Amino acid sequence: MKYIELPSGDHMPALGLGTYLSTPDKIERAITHALEVGYRHFDCAAIYGNEDDIGAALSKSYEKYPRKKLWITSKLWCDAHEPSAVLPALQQTLADLGVDYLDLYLMHWPIALKPKVELPQKQKDYFTLKEVPLIDTWHAMEECVERGLVRNIGVSNFSTHKLGVLIEDANIQPAVNQIEMHPYQQQREQVAFATKHNIAITAYCPLGSIGTPISTQDGRVPPPLLKHPLIATIAKKHGCTTAQVLIAWLLKLNIVAIPKSVTPERIEENFRGSEIVLDTADMATIAELDIHARIIDGKIFTLHNSPYTVENIWDGE
Ligand SMILES: NC(=O)c1ccc[n+]([C@@H]2O[C@H](COP(=O)([O-])OP(=O)(O)OC[C@H]3O[C@@H](n4cnc5c(N)ncnc54)[C@H](OP(=O)(O)O)[C@@H]3O)[C@@H](O)[C@H]2O)c1
């Protein structure tokens, strides 16, 4: 397994298991199988509503796979950005996951919502970033590190502009930015920024999250990445699957990949993606596929007279 070293000196496994939409009835089997085939990194979030099920599944395996050998990431939801809400939100996540520390805690979105709002339904559900500045939330996350409850902190869905502003006033530098990344969204600006500032990138939707079709700004719908003819050609050349090519592509770029699956065969297939080594020609072919398309575009935060727009979430990236 490849590891990415963070500024703290901790080593994050470069392949982890995503858990968004992993339903309670399938989680235990998924986690147990993932541990057996070699996963040690689990990507969780309070908003996924399944941290208690993940915690229950992990706790059954601690004898064989001790907590300190695992990497557990979770994310602070937007309704807990007020500094006084950060520690209680983290404590809830720790209790649900049944752990006494996280390896990595991420600010899930650069969006602040009122307490107990999962998804905004009306204008009053929003705080503006003037009312609850990102740096205030960040300082509260830093306190969680100081309390020993979290080993590393980072962000998710931050533009390079927002990261740059955060870095200026942060006491602890963000270790990770978790963003959407796959061949249709290659995030070159983010990768260059992250390299310059020693920030690791974790790629979500690494397989193109097959449930949601990708569309370009002019409305074209390209083939799902798992069925893309050029990815299929590369897969054939290496005697592997298209999912494995997509994972190998990220790992070759030193990006952390967190493919989600609750299907035992796919969990194993995806893990074996870390054994595939793409060559220069494969990388050049995939480089051509970038169409800057997002699956997760943040539009859910732009409705009901929101202070947030797609433009001000992504800062034009
Ligand atoms: N920070 C954020 O805002 C954010 C946003 C989105 C996602 N994430 C994280 O990133 C993780 C991954 O993203 P994602 O779940 O959206 O998308 P993904 O990992 O790209 O795709 C997951 C989908 O692909 C299917 N799949 C998995 N392996 C496969 C294979 N080998 N062959 C064919 N189909 C396969 C899964 O089905 P089955 O499960 O049925 O096998 C599931 O429907 C999430 O679970 C979450 O942890 C974070």
Side-chain angles (χ1 to χ4, degrees), residues 25-105:
D25 55 320
K26 301 204 171 118
I27 279 180
E28 185 174 334
R29 190 177 63 154
I31 300 266
T32 309
H33 194 69
L35 287 166
E36 274 164 16
V37 301
Y39 289 82
R40 296 293 177 266
H41 172 173
F42 297 90
D43 183 77
C44 313
I47 194 66
Y48 301 164
N50 54 11
E51 290 194 320
D52 49 349
D53 300 296
I54 293 170
L58 286 174
S59 68
K60 288 187 189 163
S61 305
Y62 282 147
E63 225 164 85
K64 211 161 161 199
Y65 306 103
R67 164 67 185 100
K68 61 176 188 308
K69 302 257 174 184
L70 304 182
W71 183 278
I72 302 180
T73 298
S74 184
K75 311 184 194 89
L76 175 78
W77 188 238
C78 312
D79 67 340
H81 271 214
E82 287 176 286
S84 61
V86 172
L87 179 61
L90 170 62
Q91 285 167 329
Q92 184 63 54
T93 273
L94 293 173
D96 286 344
L97 288 168
V99 293
D100 48 19
Y101 71 94
L102 292 177
D103 297 278
L104 177 64
Y105 199 37

Coordinates of all heavy atoms in Angstrom, one line a residue, residues 25-105:
D25 N -27.6 -1.7 6.3 CA -27.7 -3.2 6.2 C -26.5 -3.7 5.4 O -26.3 -4.9 5.5 CB -29.0 -3.5 5.4 CG -29.1 -2.7 4.0 OD1 -28.7 -1.5 4.0 OD2 -29.5 -3.3 3.0
K26 N -25.8 -2.9 4.7 CA -24.6 -3.4 4.0 C -23.3 -3.1 4.6 O -22.2 -3.6 4.1 CB -24.7 -2.9 2.5 CG -26.0 -3.3 1.9 CD -25.9 -3.3 0.4 CE -27.2 -3.9 -0.2 NZ -27.9 -3.0 -1.1
I27 N -23.3 -2.2 5.6 CA -22.0 -1.6 6.0 C -21.1 -2.7 6.7 O -19.9 -2.8 6.4 CB -22.2 -0.4 7.0 CG1 -22.5 0.8 6.1 CG2 -21.0 -0.2 7.9 CD1 -22.8 2.0 6.9
E28 N -21.7 -3.5 7.6 CA -20.9 -4.4 8.3 C -20.1 -5.3 7.4 O -18.9 -5.5 7.5 CB -21.7 -5.2 9.3 CG -20.7 -6.0 10.2 CD -21.5 -6.7 11.3 OE1 -22.5 -6.3 11.8 OE2 -20.9 -7.8 11.8
R29 N -20.8 -5.9 6.4 CA -20.2 -6.8 5.5 C -19.1 -6.0 4.7 O -18.0 -6.6 4.4 CB -21.3 -7.4 4.5 CG -20.8 -8.5 3.7 CD -21.9 -9.1 2.8 NE -22.4 -8.1 1.9 CZ -23.0 -8.4 0.7 NH1 -23.1 -9.7 0.4 NH2 -23.4 -7.5 -0.1
A30 N -19.4 -4.8 4.3 CA -18.5 -4.0 3.5 C -17.2 -3.7 4.3 O -16.1 -3.9 3.8 CB -19.1 -2.7 3.0
I31 N -17.4 -3.3 5.5 CA -16.2 -3.0 6.4 C -15.4 -4.2 6.6 O -14.1 -4.2 6.5 CB -16.6 -2.3 7.7 CG1 -17.4 -1.0 7.4 CG2 -15.5 -2.1 8.6 CD1 -16.7 0.3 7.4
T32 N -16.0 -5.3 7.0 CA -15.3 -6.5 7.3 C -14.5 -7.0 6.1 O -13.3 -7.3 6.2 CB -16.3 -7.6 7.8 OG1 -17.1 -7.0 8.8 CG2 -15.6 -8.8 8.3
H33 N -15.2 -7.0 5.0 CA -14.5 -7.4 3.8 C -13.3 -6.5 3.4 O -12.2 -7.0 3.0 CB -15.5 -7.5 2.6 CG -14.9 -8.3 1.5 ND1 -14.7 -9.7 1.5 CD2 -14.5 -7.9 0.3 CE1 -14.2 -10.1 0.4 NE2 -14.1 -9.1 -0.4
A34 N -13.6 -5.2 3.6 CA -12.5 -4.2 3.2 C -11.3 -4.5 4.1 O -10.1 -4.5 3.6 CB -13.0 -2.8 3.4
L35 N -11.5 -4.7 5.4 CA -10.4 -5.0 6.3 C -9.6 -6.2 5.9 O -8.4 -6.3 5.8 CB -10.9 -5.1 7.8 CG -11.3 -3.8 8.4 CD1 -12.1 -4.1 9.7 CD2 -10.1 -2.9 8.7
E36 N -10.4 -7.3 5.5 CA -9.8 -8.5 5.1 C -8.9 -8.4 3.9 O -7.9 -9.0 3.8 CB -10.9 -9.6 4.9 CG -11.2 -10.3 6.2 CD -12.5 -11.0 6.1 OE1 -13.0 -11.3 5.0 OE2 -13.1 -11.3 7.2
V37 N -9.4 -7.6 2.9 CA -8.6 -7.5 1.7 C -7.5 -6.5 1.8 O -6.6 -6.4 0.9 CB -9.4 -7.2 0.4 CG1 -10.5 -8.3 0.2 CG2 -10.1 -5.9 0.4
G38 N -7.4 -5.7 2.9 CA -6.3 -4.8 3.1 C -6.6 -3.3 3.3 O -5.6 -2.6 3.6
Y39 N -7.8 -2.9 3.2 CA -8.1 -1.5 3.4 C -7.8 -1.2 4.9 O -8.2 -2.0 5.8 CB -9.5 -1.1 3.2 CG -10.0 -1.1 1.8 CD1 -10.4 -2.3 1.1 CD2 -10.2 0.1 1.1 CE1 -10.8 -2.2 -0.2 CE2 -10.6 0.1 -0.2 CZ -11.0 -1.0 -0.9 OH -11.4 -1.0 -2.1
R40 N -7.2 0.0 5.2 CA -7.0 0.5 6.5 C -7.5 1.9 6.7 O -7.5 2.5 7.8 CB -5.5 0.4 6.9 CG -4.9 -1.0 6.9 CD -5.5 -1.8 8.0 NE -5.0 -3.2 8.0 CZ -5.6 -4.2 7.4 NH1 -6.7 -4.0 6.8 NH2 -5.0 -5.4 7.4
H41 N -8.0 2.5 5.6 CA -8.5 3.9 5.6 C -10.0 3.9 5.3 O -10.4 3.3 4.3 CB -7.6 4.6 4.5 CG -8.0 6.0 4.2 ND1 -7.2 6.7 3.3 CD2 -9.0 6.8 4.5 CE1 -7.8 7.9 3.2 NE2 -8.9 8.0 3.9
F42 N -10.7 4.6 6.1 CA -12.2 4.7 6.0 C -12.6 6.2 6.0 O -12.2 6.9 6.9 CB -12.9 4.0 7.1 CG -12.6 2.5 7.0 CD1 -11.5 2.0 7.7 CD2 -13.3 1.6 6.2 CE1 -11.1 0.6 7.6 CE2 -12.9 0.3 6.1 CZ -11.9 -0.2 6.8
D43 N -13.3 6.6 4.9 CA -13.7 8.0 4.7 C -15.1 8.1 5.2 O -16.0 7.6 4.5 CB -13.5 8.4 3.3 CG -13.9 9.9 3.1 OD1 -13.0 10.7 3.5 OD2 -15.0 10.2 2.7
C44 N -15.3 8.8 6.3 CA -16.7 9.0 6.8 C -17.1 10.4 6.9 O -16.3 11.3 6.6 CB -16.7 8.4 8.3 SG -15.9 6.8 8.4
A45 N -18.3 10.7 7.3 CA -18.8 12.1 7.5 C -20.1 12.0 8.3 O -20.9 11.1 8.1 CB -19.1 12.8 6.1
A46 N -20.2 13.0 9.2 CA -21.4 13.1 10.0 C -22.7 13.1 9.1 O -23.6 12.4 9.4 CB -21.4 14.3 10.9
I47 N -22.6 13.8 8.0 CA -23.9 14.0 7.2 C -24.2 12.7 6.5 O -25.4 12.6 6.1 CB -23.7 15.2 6.2 CG1 -25.0 15.6 5.6 CG2 -22.7 14.8 5.1 CD1 -26.0 16.2 6.5
Y48 N -23.4 11.7 6.4 CA -23.7 10.5 5.7 C -24.7 9.7 6.6 O -25.3 8.7 6.1 CB -22.5 9.6 5.4 CG -21.5 10.3 4.5 CD1 -20.2 9.8 4.4 CD2 -21.8 11.4 3.7 CE1 -19.3 10.4 3.5 CE2 -20.9 12.0 2.9 CZ -19.6 11.5 2.8 OH -18.7 12.2 2.0
G49 N -24.8 10.0 7.9 CA -25.8 9.4 8.7 C -25.6 7.9 9.0 O -26.5 7.2 9.5
N50 N -24.3 7.5 8.9 CA -24.1 6.0 9.1 C -22.8 5.8 10.0 O -22.3 4.7 10.0 CB -23.9 5.3 7.7 CG -22.9 6.0 6.8 OD1 -22.1 6.8 7.3 ND2 -22.8 5.6 5.6
E51 N -22.4 6.9 10.6 CA -21.1 6.7 11.4 C -21.3 5.7 12.6 O -20.4 5.0 12.9 CB -20.6 8.1 11.9 CG -20.1 9.0 10.8 CD -19.3 10.2 11.2 OE1 -19.7 10.8 12.2 OE2 -18.3 10.4 10.5
D52 N -22.6 5.7 13.1 CA -22.8 4.7 14.2 C -22.7 3.3 13.7 O -22.1 2.4 14.3 CB -24.1 5.0 14.9 CG -25.3 5.1 14.0 OD1 -25.1 5.2 12.8 OD2 -26.4 5.1 14.5
D53 N -23.2 3.0 12.5 CA -23.1 1.7 11.9 C -21.6 1.3 11.6 O -21.2 0.2 11.7 CB -24.0 1.6 10.6 CG -25.4 1.9 11.0 OD1 -26.0 1.1 11.7 OD2 -25.9 2.9 10.5
I54 N -20.9 2.3 11.1 CA -19.5 2.1 10.7 C -18.7 1.8 12.0 O -17.9 0.8 12.1 CB -18.9 3.3 10.0 CG1 -19.6 3.4 8.6 CG2 -17.4 3.2 9.9 CD1 -19.3 4.7 7.9
G55 N -19.0 2.6 13.1 CA -18.4 2.4 14.4 C -18.6 1.0 14.9 O -17.7 0.3 15.4
A56 N -19.9 0.5 14.8 CA -20.3 -0.8 15.3 C -19.5 -1.9 14.5 O -19.0 -2.8 15.1 CB -21.8 -1.0 15.2
A57 N -19.4 -1.7 13.2 CA -18.7 -2.7 12.4 C -17.2 -2.7 12.7 O -16.6 -3.8 12.9 CB -18.9 -2.4 10.9
L58 N -16.6 -1.5 12.8 CA -15.2 -1.5 13.1 C -14.9 -2.1 14.5 O -13.9 -2.8 14.7 CB -14.7 0.0 13.1 CG -14.5 0.6 11.7 CD1 -14.2 2.1 11.8 CD2 -13.5 -0.1 10.9
S59 N -15.7 -1.8 15.5 CA -15.4 -2.2 16.8 C -15.4 -3.8 16.9 O -14.7 -4.3 17.7 CB -16.4 -1.6 17.8 OG -17.7 -2.2 17.6
K60 N -16.1 -4.4 16.0 CA -16.1 -5.9 16.1 C -14.8 -6.5 15.6 O -14.5 -7.6 15.7 CB -17.3 -6.4 15.2 CG -18.6 -6.2 15.8 CD -19.7 -6.9 15.1 CE -21.1 -6.5 15.6 NZ -22.2 -6.8 14.7
S61 N -14.0 -5.6 14.9 CA -12.8 -6.1 14.2 C -11.5 -5.6 14.9 O -10.4 -5.9 14.5 CB -12.7 -5.6 12.8 OG -13.9 -6.0 12.1
Y62 N -11.7 -4.8 16.0 CA -10.5 -4.3 16.7 C -9.5 -5.3 17.1 O -8.3 -5.0 17.2 CB -10.9 -3.3 17.8 CG -11.3 -2.0 17.3 CD1 -12.3 -1.2 18.0 CD2 -10.8 -1.4 16.1 CE1 -12.7 0.0 17.5 CE2 -11.2 -0.2 15.6 CZ -12.2 0.5 16.3 OH -12.6 1.7 15.9
E63 N -10.0 -6.5 17.5 CA -9.0 -7.4 18.0 C -8.0 -7.8 16.9 O -6.8 -7.9 17.1 CB -9.8 -8.7 18.5 CG -9.2 -9.2 19.9 CD -10.2 -10.1 20.5 OE1 -10.1 -11.3 20.2 OE2 -11.0 -9.6 21.3
K64 N -8.6 -8.0 15.7 CA -7.7 -8.4 14.6 C -7.1 -7.2 13.9 O -5.9 -7.2 13.5 CB -8.6 -9.1 13.6 CG -7.9 -10.1 12.8 CD -8.9 -11.1 12.1 CE -8.3 -11.8 11.0 NZ -9.3 -12.4 10.1
Y65 N -7.8 -6.1 13.9 CA -7.3 -4.8 13.2 C -7.4 -3.7 14.2 O -8.3 -3.0 14.3 CB -8.1 -4.5 12.0 CG -8.2 -5.7 11.0 CD1 -9.4 -6.4 11.0 CD2 -7.1 -6.0 10.2 CE1 -9.5 -7.5 10.1 CE2 -7.2 -7.1 9.4 CZ -8.4 -7.9 9.3 OH -8.5 -8.9 8.4
P66 N -6.3 -3.5 15.1 CA -6.4 -2.5 16.2 C -6.6 -1.1 15.6 O -6.1 -0.8 14.5 CB -5.0 -2.7 16.8 CG -4.4 -3.9 16.3 CD -5.0 -4.2 15.0
R67 N -7.3 -0.3 16.4 CA -7.6 1.1 16.1 C -6.4 1.8 15.6 O -6.4 2.6 14.6 CB -8.2 1.8 17.3 CG -8.3 3.3 17.2 CD -9.2 3.7 16.1 NE -9.2 5.2 15.9 CZ -8.6 5.8 14.9 NH1 -7.9 5.1 14.0 NH2 -8.7 7.1 14.7
K68 N -5.2 1.6 16.2 CA -4.1 2.5 15.9 C -3.5 2.1 14.5 O -2.7 2.8 13.9 CB -3.0 2.5 17.0 CG -2.4 1.2 17.3 CD -1.3 1.5 18.4 CE -0.4 0.3 18.7 NZ -1.1 -0.9 19.1
K69 N -3.9 1.0 13.9 CA -3.4 0.6 12.6 C -4.4 1.1 11.5 O -4.2 0.9 10.3 CB -3.4 -0.9 12.5 CG -2.5 -1.6 13.5 CD -1.2 -2.0 12.8 CE -0.3 -2.5 13.9 NZ 1.0 -2.9 13.6
L70 N -5.5 1.8 11.9 CA -6.5 2.2 11.0 C -6.4 3.7 10.8 O -5.9 4.5 11.7 CB -7.9 1.9 11.5 CG -8.2 0.5 11.8 CD1 -9.7 0.3 12.2 CD2 -7.9 -0.4 10.6
W71 N -6.9 4.2 9.7 CA -6.9 5.6 9.4 C -8.4 6.0 9.2 O -9.1 5.5 8.3 CB -6.2 6.0 8.1 CG -6.2 7.4 7.8 CD1 -7.1 8.2 7.3 CD2 -5.1 8.4 8.2 NE1 -6.8 9.5 7.2 CE2 -5.5 9.6 7.8 CE3 -3.9 8.2 8.8 CZ2 -4.8 10.8 7.9 CZ3 -3.1 9.4 8.9 CH2 -3.5 10.6 8.5
I72 N -8.9 6.8 10.2 CA -10.3 7.2 10.1 C -10.4 8.7 9.9 O -9.9 9.5 10.7 CB -11.1 6.8 11.4 CG1 -10.9 5.2 11.6 CG2 -12.6 7.1 11.3 CD1 -11.6 4.6 12.8
T73 N -11.1 9.0 8.8 CA -11.4 10.4 8.5 C -12.9 10.7 8.7 O -13.7 9.9 8.4 CB -11.1 10.7 7.0 OG1 -9.7 10.5 6.7 CG2 -11.4 12.1 6.5
S74 N -13.2 11.9 9.2 CA -14.6 12.3 9.2 C -14.7 13.8 8.9 O -13.6 14.4 8.7 CB -15.3 12.0 10.6 OG -16.6 12.4 10.5
K75 N -15.9 14.3 8.8 CA -16.1 15.7 8.3 C -17.1 16.4 9.1 O -18.2 15.8 9.5 CB -16.5 15.7 6.8 CG -15.6 14.7 6.0 CD -16.0 14.8 4.5 CE -15.3 13.6 3.8 NZ -16.1 12.4 3.7
L76 N -16.8 17.6 9.4 CA -17.6 18.6 10.1 C -18.7 19.1 9.2 O -18.4 19.7 8.1 CB -16.8 19.7 10.6 CG -17.5 20.9 11.3 CD1 -17.9 20.5 12.8 CD2 -16.7 22.2 11.3
W77 N -20.0 18.8 9.5 CA -21.0 19.3 8.6 C -21.2 20.9 8.8 O -20.8 21.5 9.8 CB -22.4 18.6 8.8 CG -23.4 19.0 7.8 CD1 -24.6 19.5 8.0 CD2 -23.2 18.9 6.3 NE1 -25.2 19.7 6.7 CE2 -24.4 19.4 5.7 CE3 -22.1 18.4 5.5 CZ2 -24.5 19.4 4.3 CZ3 -22.3 18.5 4.1 CH2 -23.5 19.0 3.6
C78 N -21.8 21.4 7.7 CA -22.0 22.9 7.6 C -22.8 23.5 8.7 O -22.7 24.7 8.9 CB -22.6 23.2 6.3 SG -21.9 22.4 4.9
D79 N -23.6 22.7 9.4 CA -24.5 23.3 10.5 C -23.7 23.4 11.8 O -24.3 23.8 12.8 CB -25.7 22.5 10.7 CG -25.4 21.1 11.3 OD1 -24.3 20.6 11.2 OD2 -26.4 20.5 11.8
A80 N -22.4 23.1 11.8 CA -21.7 23.2 13.0 C -20.4 24.1 12.8 O -19.4 23.8 13.4 CB -21.3 21.8 13.5
H81 N -20.5 25.1 12.0 CA -19.4 26.0 11.7 C -19.2 27.0 12.8 O -18.1 27.5 12.9 CB -19.6 26.7 10.4 CG -19.0 25.9 9.2 ND1 -18.4 26.5 8.1 CD2 -19.0 24.6 9.0 CE1 -18.1 25.6 7.2 NE2 -18.4 24.4 7.7
E82 N -20.2 27.3 13.6 CA -20.0 28.3 14.6 C -18.9 27.7 15.6 O -19.0 26.5 16.0 CB -21.3 28.6 15.4 CG -22.3 29.4 14.6 CD -23.6 29.5 15.4 OE1 -24.3 28.6 15.4 OE2 -23.8 30.6 15.9
P83 N -17.9 28.5 16.0 CA -16.8 27.9 16.8 C -17.3 27.1 18.0 O -16.8 26.0 18.3 CB -16.0 29.1 17.2 CG -16.3 30.1 16.1 CD -17.7 29.9 15.6
S84 N -18.4 27.6 18.6 CA -18.8 26.8 19.8 C -19.5 25.5 19.5 O -19.7 24.6 20.3 CB -19.8 27.7 20.6 OG -21.0 27.9 19.8
A85 N -19.8 25.3 18.2 CA -20.5 24.0 17.8 C -19.5 23.0 17.3 O -19.9 21.8 17.1 CB -21.5 24.4 16.7
V86 N -18.2 23.4 17.1 CA -17.3 22.4 16.4 C -17.0 21.3 17.4 O -17.1 20.1 17.0 CB -16.0 23.2 16.0 CG1 -15.0 22.2 15.5 CG2 -16.4 24.2 14.9
L87 N -16.6 21.6 18.6 CA -16.2 20.5 19.5 C -17.4 19.5 19.8 O -17.2 18.3 19.7 CB -15.7 21.1 20.8 CG -15.3 20.0 21.9 CD1 -14.2 19.1 21.4 CD2 -14.8 20.7 23.2
P88 N -18.6 20.0 20.1 CA -19.7 19.1 20.2 C -20.0 18.2 19.0 O -20.3 17.0 19.1 CB -20.9 20.0 20.5 CG -20.3 21.3 21.0 CD -19.0 21.4 20.4
A89 N -19.8 18.8 17.8 CA -20.0 18.0 16.6 C -19.0 16.9 16.5 O -19.3 15.7 16.1 CB -20.0 18.9 15.3
L90 N -17.7 17.3 16.8 CA -16.7 16.2 16.8 C -16.9 15.2 17.8 O -16.8 14.0 17.5 CB -15.3 16.9 17.0 CG -14.2 15.9 17.2 CD1 -13.9 15.1 16.0 CD2 -12.9 16.7 17.6
Q91 N -17.4 15.6 19.0 CA -17.6 14.6 20.1 C -18.7 13.6 19.7 O -18.7 12.4 19.9 CB -18.0 15.3 21.4 CG -16.7 15.9 22.0 CD -17.0 16.9 23.1 OE1 -18.0 17.6 23.1 NE2 -16.1 17.0 24.1
Q92 N -19.7 14.1 18.9 CA -20.8 13.3 18.5 C -20.3 12.2 17.5 O -20.6 11.0 17.5 CB -21.9 14.1 17.8 CG -23.1 13.3 17.4 CD -23.8 12.6 18.5 OE1 -24.2 13.3 19.5 NE2 -24.0 11.3 18.5
T93 N -19.4 12.7 16.5 CA -18.8 11.8 15.6 C -17.9 10.8 16.2 O -18.0 9.6 15.9 CB -18.0 12.7 14.5 OG1 -18.9 13.1 13.5 CG2 -16.9 11.9 13.9
L94 N -17.1 11.2 17.2 CA -16.3 10.2 18.0 C -17.1 9.2 18.7 O -16.8 8.0 18.6 CB -15.4 11.0 19.0 CG -14.3 11.9 18.4 CD1 -13.7 12.7 19.5 CD2 -13.3 11.1 17.6
A95 N -18.3 9.6 19.3 CA -19.1 8.7 20.0 C -19.8 7.7 19.0 O -19.8 6.5 19.2 CB -20.2 9.5 20.7
D96 N -20.2 8.3 17.8 CA -20.9 7.4 16.8 C -19.9 6.4 16.3 O -20.2 5.2 16.1 CB -21.4 8.3 15.7 CG -22.7 9.0 16.1 OD1 -23.3 8.6 17.1 OD2 -23.1 9.9 15.4
L97 N -18.7 6.8 16.0 CA -17.7 5.9 15.4 C -17.1 5.0 16.5 O -16.4 4.1 16.2 CB -16.6 6.7 14.7 CG -17.0 7.4 13.4 CD1 -15.9 8.4 12.9 CD2 -17.2 6.3 12.3
G98 N -17.3 5.4 17.7 CA -16.8 4.6 18.8 C -15.3 4.6 19.0 O -14.6 3.6 19.3
V99 N -14.7 5.8 18.7 CA -13.2 6.0 18.8 C -12.9 7.2 19.7 O -13.8 8.0 19.9 CB -12.6 6.2 17.4 CG1 -12.8 5.0 16.5 CG2 -13.3 7.4 16.7
D100 N -11.7 7.3 20.1 CA -11.4 8.4 21.0 C -10.6 9.5 20.3 O -10.2 10.5 20.8 CB -10.8 8.0 22.3 CG -9.7 7.1 22.2 OD1 -9.1 7.0 21.1 OD2 -9.3 6.4 23.2
Y101 N -10.2 9.2 19.0 CA -9.6 10.3 18.2 C -9.8 10.0 16.7 O -10.1 8.8 16.4 CB -8.1 10.4 18.4 CG -7.3 9.2 17.9 CD1 -6.7 9.2 16.6 CD2 -7.2 8.0 18.6 CE1 -6.0 8.2 16.1 CE2 -6.5 6.9 18.1 CZ -5.9 7.0 16.8 OH -5.3 5.9 16.3
L102 N -9.7 11.0 15.9 CA -9.8 10.8 14.4 C -8.4 11.0 13.9 O -7.6 11.9 14.4 CB -10.7 11.9 13.8 CG -12.2 11.8 14.0 CD1 -12.8 13.0 13.3 CD2 -12.7 10.5 13.5
D103 N -8.0 10.4 12.8 CA -6.8 10.6 12.1 C -6.8 11.9 11.3 O -5.8 12.6 11.2 CB -6.4 9.5 11.2 CG -6.2 8.2 12.0 OD1 -5.1 8.0 12.6 OD2 -7.2 7.4 12.2
L104 N -8.0 12.2 10.8 CA -8.2 13.4 10.0 C -9.6 13.9 10.1 O -10.6 13.1 10.0 CB -7.9 13.0 8.5 CG -8.1 14.1 7.5 CD1 -7.1 15.3 7.7 CD2 -7.8 13.5 6.1
Y105 N -9.8 15.2 10.4 CA -11.1 15.9 10.4 C -11.1 17.0 9.4 O -10.2 17.8 9.4 CB -11.3 16.4 11.9 CG -12.7 16.7 12.2 CD1 -13.8 15.9 11.8 CD2 -13.1 17.8 13.0 CE1 -15.1 16.1 12.2 CE2 -14.4 18.0 13.4 CZ -15.4 17.2 13.0 OH -16.7 17.4 13.4

